[in-house]
């Protein structure tokens, strides 16, 4: 059992390119050649994430559109021959030649009076979905229990520093009562 394995989940190691079928539709499947697999199959990030780890979801779940998960920051460099074509195919963005720009300035969000009215009518609450990495920590696909707890600590500290108008109640995974879940 590896350090990231749990009672409910085990990482697989593919010693050869898995036999894809016509059901496998992912961009990983379209990108992965026998030559590329042979080149990268023994590559491992410093946190222990491998090509097999990245491919597992796409191999076991042929309906997925992406079919590859990155385990940590280093995965993007070590497995870029797989990841970059997937990013370009999915997002129409070329990581080799384009630079991603984030703009999280809420003052630039412009809504008409009608949009504001609909927003206020239908939006009761919202949540933050943590789907990306905090630098230095594994991504969800490559995280151990210790990694997940450390990321939770970083996020709780960040939430505590939000201005009052943005603060809410933090509920850890598995920390809600059934009454809170149904509310």
């Amino acid at each position: 059992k590896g350090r990231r394995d749990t009672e409910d989940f085990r990482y697989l190691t593919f010693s050869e390119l898995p036999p894809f079928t016509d059901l496998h539709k992912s961009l990983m499947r379209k990108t992965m050649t026998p030559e590329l697999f042979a080149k990268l199959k023994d590559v491992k990030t410093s946190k222990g994430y491998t090509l097999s780890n990245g491919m597992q979801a796409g191999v076991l779940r042929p309906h997925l559109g992406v079919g590859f998960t990155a385990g940590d920051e280093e995965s993007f460099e070590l497995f870029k021959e797989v990841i970059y074509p997937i990013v370009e195919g999915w997002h129409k963005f070329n990581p080799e030649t384009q630079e991603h720009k984030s703009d999280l300035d809420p003052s630039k969000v412009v809504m008409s009076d009608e949009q504001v009215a609909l927003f206020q009518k239908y939006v009761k609450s919202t949540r933050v979905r943590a789907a990306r990495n905090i630098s230095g920590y594994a991504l969800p696909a490559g995280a151990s229990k210790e990694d997940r707890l450390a990321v939770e600590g970083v996020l709780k500290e960040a939430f505590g520093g939000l201005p009052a108008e943005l603060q809410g109640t933090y509920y850890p995974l598995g920390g809600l009562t059934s009454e809170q879940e149904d509310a």
Side-chain angles (χ1 to χ4, degrees):
K1 178 176 163 181
R3 77 176 195 89
R4 293 181 323 270
D5 290 342
T6 67
E7 295 305 316
D8 299 320
F9 181 84
R10 299 268 191 275
Y11 279 100
L12 303 177
T13 299
F14 302 110
S15 57
E16 57 188 46
L17 183 65
F20 294 116
T21 69
D22 289 342
L23 296 175
H24 287 88
K25 305 291 185 192
S26 74
L27 291 168
M28 178 275 295
R29 189 251 187 188
K30 293 174 184 173
T31 301
M32 189 59 61
T33 64
E35 297 78 19
L36 186 56
F37 179 84
K39 178 180 178 181
L40 298 175
K41 72 176 183 168
D42 297 319
V43 173
K44 187 182 285 193
T45 71
S46 59
K47 294 187 183 306
Y49 203 76
T50 66
L51 179 68
S52 288
N53 298 156
M55 294 174 60
Q56 183 168 337
V59 172
L60 299 181
R61 292 171 187 83
H63 68 281
L64 294 177
V66 172
F68 194 89
T69 58
D72 52 39
E73 290 173 270
E74 197 178 358
S75 296
F76 288 95
E77 182 60 32
L78 295 179
F79 304 118
K80 72 180 176 182
E81 291 172 86
V82 178
I83 293 173
Y84 283 15
I86 292 171
V87 168
E88 187 165 11
W90 192 258
H91 296 288
K92 309 301 182 228
F93 169 84
N94 184 334
E96 290 277 18
T97 61
Q98 294 175 287
E99 185 177 325
H100 181 265
K101 294 183 175 141
S102 293
D103 186 351
L104 302 176
D105 180 354
S107 70
K108 295 180 181 175
V109 176
V110 178
M111 296 184 351
S112 68
D113 290 341
E114 181 181 341
Q115 290 170 320
V116 169
L118 285 171
F119 183 86
Q120 291 173 338
K121 179 178 178 182
Y122 292 107
V123 178
K124 183 176 180 179
S125 69
T126 188
R127 66 184 173 104
V128 174
R129 179 176 176 249
R132 296 294 180 258
N133 196 26
I134 296 172
S135 186
Y137 295 94
L139 288 159
S144 66
K145 181 177 182 179
E146 293 78 20
D147 293 328
R148 290 188 292 276
L149 290 171
V151 167
E152 181 182 35
V154 169
L155 292 173
K156 285 177 11 183
E157 184 177 334
F159 298 150
L162 290 172
E165 68 271 12
L166 295 178
Q167 288 193 4
T169 303
Y170 174 74
Y171 297 100
L173 288 176
L176 293 175
T177 65
S178 56
E179 292 81 23
Q180 290 169 322
E181 287 178 4
D182 293 336

